[in-house]
Amino acid sequence: PAMTEQAPDGMFPFFMPNTGAEKYNLKNGPGIVDLVDSRSFNTASILEEIKKYGFMCPFEPCQKHLAECDQEEFIVVCDPTSRYGEMFLLLHTEHAIKAFLSEKEEKENAAKEAEQRQEEEAASAEAARIKRENAVYVDIPILPKQYNSLTADETDDEVKNLSVRNTRPLLSFKLFCPIHIMNQEVNFGDHNTNQSECVNILPQACSTPGLGMSTKNVAVQCAPSTTSSKAQTEWHRKINIAIQYEPLGLDDFTPLNEAALIHFLRRALPLVESSLQENETVDIFCDLLANNNESSDEKHHILPSLDKEQKQWKEIHNFCNLEHSKGKMLTCIDWYPNRKDVVATSACVTSSFNERILTQEETATAHIIVWKFSIQIHPMLVLESPLDCICFRFNPTQPNMVAGGCINGQVVFWNTSRLSSALEEEKSKKTTADDERKEEKRDPPIQIIALSHPELSHKRMVSDLVWLPASTQINAKGKLLPHEYLTTESNQFITVSGDGHALFWDVRFNDIMMGKLPYIAKIKSSKSQQQSKQQRGDAQENDFTPFQWLPLFKIKIKRTEGTGDLTFGKVICFAATSRLCEENEDLRSQLICSAEEGDIVSVNWLPQTQNDSVGDDTFVSPEYVQWMASDHSRSCVAMSQSPFFPNYVITVSDWNFHVWKTDSKPKRPIFSSPDASTHLTGGKWSPTRPSVIILSKVDGSVDVWDLTNTSYSPFLTLILTPSPITSMEFLSNGDANKQRSSQLLAVGDKLGSLHIFEMPQKLSKSHRKEMEAMNFFLERGCGEDECDTRECESISNDDEEKEEGVSIIQKDATNNIAEQTVTKEEDIDLEVVEKYEQAYRDMEKKFLEEHGLSADGDNDS
């Protein structure tokens, strides 16, 4: 609150309700501050009212001052600004009343004088305008006068007076515009000078009269006489011109004898012939899955198309909180584990980097909003964070634990036991009208219970977060815990950032620091620290322990080729896929990450160490990167793992998406989609359809890809929101899907609205033999990748052999050596041609056998 001034002597501030102000005619409008300037009252009558009505009279707080008042009338002054703490001021002494009346009279006289002055100025301006309009202008020629000058100094002074000369050095100013605000729209408006040093000067009517013009008689030199002259211009006459073209033959050109060109043509000849033959035998524009053969249709079932009625997705809920999320960007969405009607989203301010720098000294809070379908008016729960949360996730085994990553690299942690207990009570008993009224009551936001140490956190924004399953827990050295130390609860999660680090966190950091979990980390402490630990142990379990939250384990990823660190964007943990981990336990420590430079990286935090020696010193450096491949030209906006084929993932960039097989060391994706119509903002693999992928776009629409139906264009495009889509998440919990007959999709936009859509039945239920068709599509892509890899290796080997022959030609200029080299190249080319011919026949034979077209007599054709 603003500091109030102390009222002077004879003035008493008091409070009067709105009804009392209307009763005594102190208001002139419906608003609270619509008050008159002042009004006088009879002292005796007001004291009588106070005596009659007691505390019900609005003047009852002023009874003491009115009893001491020796004036017949007192004055009540209305102050809407509450300068002295209240809006009504009682003047009860003669000195105060005279001071107020004199000040009021001075203001009235000043207002009258200003009004009279304005009338006089208006009258003079009108008279000047009439005089100017009725003025008669006479054109009098200027006649030169005789020039008289007694001395040369006077002449010099007069000449100097005729020209403008600088009396001081010229001032130079450099005006420039910052690059980050160039070509941007600028909105001008009023600005409060109390908040900033910048002041907007608005246009105002100028009351200053125009400056008069003074005349000065000076002598001028007459202009020289002019003469009329003529000039002849050029004229180009148009004529018809014909040009005869003559054809040029091969005889007109001199033959080229360069050995490099001849070698290139001979090397390219078999490749061109092989490509032309493949184009003649195989239709490169046909869809291999669109086969009209009945036997092929039964083997690879083609999915039916959607009906017109099912192309419109039904929006069953729309949530937007005016206080916490309206006008903000929803960066992350997560469903409450094992619930079909509770979803949470994080709201972040849509500010640029420069705007955040200007407002970095201002304190602001961010929120994670938890919505329940049965409560539409306000959120079920709100989690408060000191900074914007870019990502967050519920603990899959302990839903009351929520972890989030902030924009400055710190990690926050909440305990939502209130939400978990409310949901458990709802399951155990039926809801009544009284329970619904209790749910409508707003609970205060839940504060964080842990915030990571800023110096030991990420140096850049936390880009992704994933919980480790209960079967995969690590110690402080990054090693997997034995089975005897594992429980059914998950307590650790991983965060990645653009600083190139992957940090592992444990929510039991208090117990670890107190030495209760020695199999995770052994803490070395002094005697004083041990005594403080014992004191904490004797206290209650719910008391706060002032330990700093530090990462349990961290790894820094470096490039396998060249120098520099990798910067992480998104991460997928294979430990969350129980089926793969049961087949291969080594996958529990494997991560698939996307780099900001556009690469896809396979990371294992249990690396194979290698010995590096520098001089006489030998040290062991871990190699976390298993393989790395070039993916997109820019960073990924989303990564998603197939729930049906866990070793396949999709990476979504600005314009398209790629499908990767991660159980090998690929050099390129097995499938690359064509470019979208506009920028992509996210992508998810359907949890119920093996072949369906949903991509969100910046124009508020989504592309539905069905890879078993078509692989060159989206199967369906729908507009879901009027603003850009910023986040998207499927309801993928197993228990929730069993309870619902359809699939739910949560979509967040840039304006802070959360949309819940119900997918059509044909996009949510798997069709007959869809798994076989999708498996065939993925295996075919992997087979083409392996074939292309072998061909590229053979071509590279042949190129190296041929480049050796070219180097011999360039070194020796004699004709005999050149002829020997050419003949040697001809022998090599024949061997290459035979190798390609045999490879083509093998591929043709395999193609005919796969499509059921092979015959006894057709195998050799």
Side-chain angles (χ1 to χ4, degrees), residues 206-226:
C206 183
S207 59
T208 304
L211 298 176
M213 297 179 61
S214 60
T215 59
K216 184 177 182 180
N217 296 329
V218 295
V220 296
Q221 181 66 31
C222 296
S225 58
T226 59

Side-chain angles (χ1 to χ4, degrees), residues 291 293 845 847-856 858-859 861:
N291 192 358
N293 191 1
K845 181 179 179 181
F847 174 81
L848 294 175
E849 289 177 355
E850 288 180 354
H851 291 76
L853 301 177
S854 62
D856 296 335
D858 296 333
N859 292 336
S861 60

Side-chain angles (χ1 to χ4, degrees), residues 374-439:
S374 60
I375 306 175
Q376 296 282 348
I377 301 176
H378 59 83
M380 182 180 183
L381 197 66
V382 177
L383 310 181
E384 187 173 304
S385 171
L387 297 164
D388 288 341
C389 276
I390 304 300
C391 56
F392 75 97
R393 286 290 181 268
F394 285 100
N395 190 320
T397 59
Q398 304 178 75
N400 60 309
M401 295 184 179
V402 184
C406 298
I407 193 172
N408 68 334
Q410 289 182 275
V411 178
V412 292
F413 178 65
W414 294 272
N415 188 353
T416 60
S417 301
R418 188 195 313 169
L419 174 62
S420 302
S421 59
L423 294 176
E424 291 296 332
E425 291 177 0
E426 181 185 356
K427 288 183 180 180
S428 61
K429 65 178 182 179
K430 297 182 179 180
T431 58
T432 60
D434 296 336
D435 296 334
E436 292 180 357
R437 294 190 192 97
K438 292 180 181 179
E439 288 182 351

